[in-house]
Amino acid sequence: DAGVTQSPTHLIKTRGQQVTLRCSPKSGHDTVSWYQQALGQGPQFIFQYYEEEERQRGNFPDRFSGHQFPNYSSELNVNALLLGDSALYLCASSLGHSGNTIYFGEGSWLTVV
Amino acid sequence: KNEVEQSPQNLTAQEGEFITINCSYSVGISALHWLQQHPGGGIVSLFMLSSGKKKHGRLIATINIQEKHSSLHITASHPRDSAVYICAVRGGTDKLIFGTGTRLQVFP
C-alpha cells in the first residue's frame, strides 16, 4: 500500500512563474492538507481539502490555491512566485476528521531563483 | 511567542544515552503529535496523544493536558535516531500547529 506520494520531488522556478505540485493521499484517505516548511523552520499550514472543497486555510495569500479531485488527490498551485516561496512543500493525508493519524509525503522541494 | 515551543533546539548525545525532548503549547488541543523528519524532508508520525503515555519500542511519549506539556523520550539512543523531532498540536480545527523542531545527533 503506497503511502502519501508527492511530485515532483525537486524543482527550480524563476520569480514570477507559476508552479503546480501534486499529492496522492494514502489509500482510503479523503482529507489532504498542505504545509510550507522554510529552511530551519517548522511547517506552516497552507490549507486543507475535504470532499473536493477547501475546508480551512492558513495565513497565505491568494497566490496559493489548490484543488482536490474526486479520487482525493490534490494539487497546490502558486502563482507569481517570489524568492520567499522557496521551501519544502509537504502534503499530509488523513481519514475524515481530527481523531485520526496523519500521514506525510516526502515533500516537494521548490527553489525560486 | 510561538503557540508551540520545543526545547532544546539542538541536542547531541552519545550512543546509549537517554534522551528527552520537551514540548509546551499555549492553545487548547484535541491531540498532540510527535513527528520525525530526516534530512531528505519526509515526515514520519511517531505518536498521536490526547492523554497519558504511549510507548513504541525505545520511544516513549507523555502528555500532561493540565500543564500543556509533552515529552518525547528515547531510551538507549542510537545513531540512526539522528533526525529532527517535531511536536505538533491539533486545536479546535483540523490544522496542525508545529513547533520548530529539535535537531538530535547521536554519535557512536
Side-chain angles (χ1 to χ4, degrees):
Chain A
D1 171 30
V4 180
T5 58
Q6 292 187 242
S7 64
T9 54
H10 294 81
L11 72 166
I12 300 173
K13 290 285 190 177
T14 304
R15 273 181 299 174
Q17 284 189 315
Q18 179 264 346
V19 68
T20 298
L21 307 178
R22 295 176 177 83
C23 172
S24 292
K26 181 176 170 60
S27 178
H29 284 187
D30 56 8
T31 302
V32 173
S33 302
W34 286 93
Y35 295 86
Q36 180 196 64
Q37 186 177 21
L39 204 60
Q41 302 294 316
Q44 299 289 320
F45 176 76
I46 302 175
F47 41 54
Q48 182 182 81
Y49 279 86
Y50 173 70
E51 292 189 343
E52 301 180 57
E53 295 207 353
E54 184 181 290
R55 184 159 67 178
Q56 285 188 79
R57 188 178 183 91
N59 294 325
F60 280 80
D62 292 344
R63 300 186 296 109
F64 289 76
S65 63
H67 189 77
Q68 185 177 37
F69 299 94
N71 66 354
Y72 304 126
S73 67
S74 178
E75 287 182 350
L76 164 65
N77 300 292
V78 187
N79 294 322
L81 285 166
L82 304 174
L83 295 179
D85 296 331
S86 296
L88 174 67
Y89 289 84
L90 291 160
C91 171
S93 76
S94 59
L95 176 62
H97 296 286
S98 54
N100 298 305
T101 300
I102 295 173
Y103 291 81
F104 287 85
E106 293 291 313
S108 294
W109 289 96
L110 170 64
T111 301
V112 182
V113 297
Chain B
K1 192 179 190 304
N2 293 334
E3 292 169 296
V4 181
E5 297 274 359
Q6 285 185 239
S7 63
Q9 286 187 305
N10 294 283
L11 183 56
T12 58
Q14 288 296 124
E15 184 173 355
E17 286 185 3
F18 180 84
I19 288 162
T20 296
I21 300 170
N22 295 300
C23 174
S24 296
Y25 53 92
S26 57
V27 295
I29 68 168
S30 58
L32 181 143
H33 296 256
W34 280 103
L35 310 164
Q36 181 191 57
Q37 186 172 34
H38 282 281
I43 291 179
V44 174
S45 180
L46 299 174
F47 295 102
M48 183 176 70
L49 294 162
S50 55
S51 66
K53 175 180 175 178
K54 286 190 176 180
K55 185 176 189 293
H56 182 69
R58 294 180 295 105
L59 301 178
I60 303 166
T62 64
I63 188 169
N64 185 318
I65 297 293
Q66 287 72 32
E67 295 186 2
K68 295 188 174 179
H69 181 270
S70 176
S71 293
L72 175 68
H73 306 285
I74 305 176
T75 62
S77 60
H78 190 276
R80 64 175 175 266
D81 296 327
S82 299
V84 176
Y85 292 84
I86 303 173
C87 169
V89 301
R90 186 184 252 159
T93 59
D94 277 346
K95 72 176 187 179
L96 290 178
I97 305 170
F98 291 78
T100 53
T102 295
R103 184 174 301 276
L104 170 65
Q105 288 185 293
V106 182
F107 294 99

